[in-house]
Amino acid sequence: MGLVMRLTCVSVRAMLPLILAFAARSASPAEAVGVVEYREVDLTYPAEAVVEAVSQATVAAQVQGRVVQVRVDVGDRVKRGDLLMRIDEREATQAVAGSEAHVAQAQAQLTNAKSTYERTKNLYAQKFVSSAALDQAEASYKAAQAQLEAALANRGQTSTTRSFTAINAPLTGVVAQRHTELGEMAAPGKPLLTLYDPKGLRVVANVPQYKLAEVSKSSRAKVELPETGRWIDAAAVTVLPVADARTHVVRVRITLPDNTQGVLPGMFARAHFVVGKAKKLLVPTQAIVRRGEISAVYVLDGQGMPQLRQVRLGETADAGSTEILAGLAPGEQVALDPVQAGIRLKQAAGR
């Protein structure tokens, strides 16, 4: 009886690792699995690009003076016509007051010249004065009219100049940069603020001459944001009708859909111009593991255990797939969660 109990304890002890392994596998959640397969995808020509705003304005000063008020900062949303900054207007106000005085003086001179001309014309009709006197009175009257017009024009100019001390938003959008701070001197042509409309964005890329014919034939393109892995279908593709004389490349504008969120001017992007169709061997991008310059995936064997296998990658096909040039065969299954697959493989090796 004691011998039987000892044999039973030994058997249970020997089977304990298998029991624990089975329990661990049963308790672990089901892993997401992807399949390596051939699929027809768009054949594209990639080109590095940058995001820019369709409507962007750099507001510059038109008068000289000290900035006495700043009402916006970077990132603030503004509407067209909103007051952004104010420049000291005391000098401009004095100029307006001076022009008003010149207008009043010119009006008085015109009134006097008109009265003199009317009297002289009546005296000439009665033969009391010569025609030379009438001509002189008429010339003085016309000169007074011209002086009044000049004074009125000067008053309008000074009033316009004073209006330039209030810096208003030329468009509805977002403040991208503030080039001048409170208390600094503004001068004609000096940038004060940069604004852009976030509703309209585009991507600008340079295309070499030998690819221009293919890109021009196609009106389709996709924009990739490599840092976030996001893909956006272009709303329109415009090839500018001029080439750079030094680099011999043509600039292409790719319009993004209206109100595209999460994209900012100046961001790096990659433009993929659709130039045809091709059948490629693809693997889900999320299954790829990158360690330095080496790329690999966890391939599941017949028992569902992951095995790390090095692969050679091609181009990114779309938002969720990458081309495989070597290392995988159609129909093989890969783990979509490389971290979990690596943990499983390490646990299996440690048993």
Side-chain angles (χ1 to χ4, degrees):
M1 187 69 175
L3 180 60
V4 173
M5 292 183 62
R6 283 196 298 272
L7 290 174
T8 302
C9 293
V10 172
S11 300
V12 172
R13 191 180 298 110
M15 294 179 63
L16 185 59
L18 295 177
I19 295 172
L20 292 176
F22 178 78
R25 180 173 296 184
S26 300
S28 62
E31 293 183 8
V33 176
V35 179
V36 183
E37 59 182 355
Y38 276 104
R39 195 167 74 243
E40 189 178 58
V41 295
D42 290 327
L43 186 62
T44 62
Y45 169 71
E48 293 186 354
V50 65
V51 179
E52 68 177 21
V54 176
S55 299
Q56 179 171 315
T58 297
V59 183
Q62 294 179 271
V63 293
Q64 185 170 352
R66 190 174 301 279
V67 177
V68 295
Q69 186 180 15
V70 178
R71 303 189 63 178
V72 294
D73 201 355
V74 176
D76 290 347
R77 290 185 173 270
V78 297
K79 295 182 179 180
R80 184 174 182 177
D82 286 352
L83 180 63
L84 307 178
M85 284 185 176
R86 191 179 293 279
I87 299 174
D88 190 355
E89 63 177 8
R90 287 177 296 179
E91 183 177 351
T93 301
Q94 291 174 358
V96 170
S99 65
E100 292 284 357
H102 290 156
V103 169
Q105 182 181 6
Q107 286 176 337
Q109 291 176 350
L110 177 62
T111 301
N112 185 39
K114 183 178 180 181
S115 299
T116 302
Y117 174 61
E118 294 294 338
R119 284 196 305 269
T120 304
K121 189 163 59 171
N122 291 332
L123 291 173
Y124 176 75
Q126 299 174 16
K127 307 296 183 178
F128 288 123
V129 295
S130 64
S131 60
L134 178 62
D135 292 341
Q136 184 178 2
E138 183 179 6
S140 299
Y141 175 55
K142 291 182 178 179
Q145 285 181 320
Q147 289 177 357
L148 177 59
E149 291 176 358
L152 290 172
N154 182 59
R155 184 179 66 179
Q157 182 179 4
T158 55
S159 298
T160 302
T161 301
R162 183 174 63 178
S163 69
F164 292 156
T165 60
I167 310 301
N168 299 317
L171 54 86
T172 299
V174 178
V175 179
Q177 287 182 288
R178 196 172 76 186
H179 307 284
T180 304
E181 300 298 328
L182 180 66
E184 293 184 355
M185 284 295 295
K190 181 180 179 181
L192 302 176
L193 296 161
T194 298
L195 300 88
Y196 75 94
D197 185 358
K199 294 182 180 179
L201 298 174
R202 66 189 176 200
V203 172
V204 180
N206 294 323
V207 176
Q209 289 183 190
Y210 72 92
K211 280 290 182 180
L212 184 59
E214 291 181 281
V215 172
S216 299
K217 288 180 182 178
S218 174
S219 59
R220 293 179 55 211
K222 300 177 181 179
V223 176
E224 178 192 3
L225 301 175
E227 299 297 331
T228 61
R230 185 179 175 188
W231 287 68
I232 304 172
D233 290 331
V237 178
T238 304
V239 180
L240 300 187
V242 64
D244 191 289
R246 294 176 299 173
T247 59
H248 310 295
V249 297
V250 178
R251 206 167 184 82
V252 180
R253 291 174 177 172
I254 305 167
T255 305
L256 299 179
D258 291 341
N259 297 317
T260 301
Q261 302 296 322
V263 182
L264 301 174
M267 292 181 66
F268 170 75
R270 188 172 291 115
H272 296 265
F273 299 98
V274 179
V275 295
K277 292 281 187 179
K279 201 171 185 179
K280 296 182 178 181
L281 184 63
L282 303 178
V283 68
T285 303
Q286 66 185 98
I288 299 172
V289 180
R290 288 180 172 86
R291 295 177 178 174
E293 297 181 357
I294 298 175
S295 299
V297 296
Y298 284 99
V299 182
L300 303 181
D301 59 16
Q303 286 75 37
M305 288 300 296
Q307 299 295 330
L308 188 63
R309 187 186 302 176
Q310 185 177 348
V311 295
R312 187 154 61 95
L313 303 178
E315 296 179 354
T316 302
D318 51 39
S321 303
T322 301
E323 181 185 8
I324 292 295
L325 301 178
L328 291 174
E332 289 189 299
Q333 294 184 338
V334 295
L336 297 183
D337 188 349
V339 176
Q340 185 64 29
I343 294 174
R344 282 188 57 199
L345 184 61
K346 188 174 182 181
Q347 289 176 345
R351 297 190 185 108

